Amino acid sequence: QVQLVESGGGLVQAGGSLRLSCAASRRTLTMGWFRQAPGKEREFLASTSWSGGSTTYADSVKGRFTISRDNAKNTVYLQMNSLKPEDTAVYYCAASENIGYSDSVRFRYGYAYWGQGTQVTVSS
C-alpha cells in the first residue's frame, strides 16, 4: 500500500503559477498527475518514470506544466505556470505499481494508488 498526500492547491489569478506536491508513504515507481473539473471526466496531465528520465504530458498542459520528483523525499511535484480559468479543478496524484514505463501512464487504469486531491481555482 502507498498513501499519497497532495498539497499546494489554492486560489490564483489567471497567468499565475502554483506548485503542487505529492508526498508518498514509501518509494514509488511511475507517478502521474490528473485533474477533474465538475461534471467532467478525470483527465491525465503528466507522468514521470521512477528515475525522472521519462516524462509524458497531455497536449493541454505541454509547455505550461512541468512534472518532477525527488526520490530522496518520496515526493513528486507539478509546477503549473500561465494558469488559465479552465485549469480550475481538483488535482490528483497517482502511483503505479507497473515496472517499466508505457503508454498506460496516460490512463487511470495505469495507476494503483490515488491521493485525496487538492483544489486549484484560477480566477479570471
Side-chain angles (χ1 to χ4, degrees):
Q1 283 283 351
V2 179
Q3 282 74 49
L4 303 173
V5 180
E6 302 99 334
S7 61
L11 174 64
V12 63
Q13 288 190 329
S17 298
L18 281 175
R19 188 177 81 154
L20 304 183
S21 299
C22 173
S25 58
R26 62 165 173 80
R27 194 178 77 170
T28 56
L29 300 173
T30 294
M31 295 289 292
W33 284 98
F34 289 70
R35 69 185 177 191
Q36 189 165 16
K40 294 191 175 182
E41 296 277 319
R42 193 167 295 190
E43 173 191 15
F44 167 77
L45 299 175
S47 61
T48 177
S49 61
W50 176 82
S51 68
S54 295
T55 56
T56 304
Y57 293 93
D59 289 343
S60 59
V61 303
K62 198 174 294 183
R64 298 191 299 126
F65 291 10
T66 302
I67 190 170
S68 62
R69 65 190 301 162
D70 183 340
N71 287 338
K73 297 181 179 179
N74 293 335
T75 299
V76 65
Y77 304 97
L78 186 68
Q79 177 67 43
M80 306 187 295
N81 299 328
S82 303
L83 283 162
K84 307 173 183 179
E86 52 263 44
D87 292 318
T88 295
V90 177
Y91 284 67
Y92 299 90
C93 70
S96 172
E97 292 279 74
N98 297 331
I99 296 173
Y101 192 78
S102 70
D103 197 53
S104 67
V105 300
R106 294 180 174 272
F107 303 99
R108 293 181 64 174
Y109 68 75
Y111 300 88
Y113 306 103
W114 293 82
Q116 82 289 349
T118 186
Q119 176 70 46
V120 171
T121 303
V122 184
S123 64
S124 57

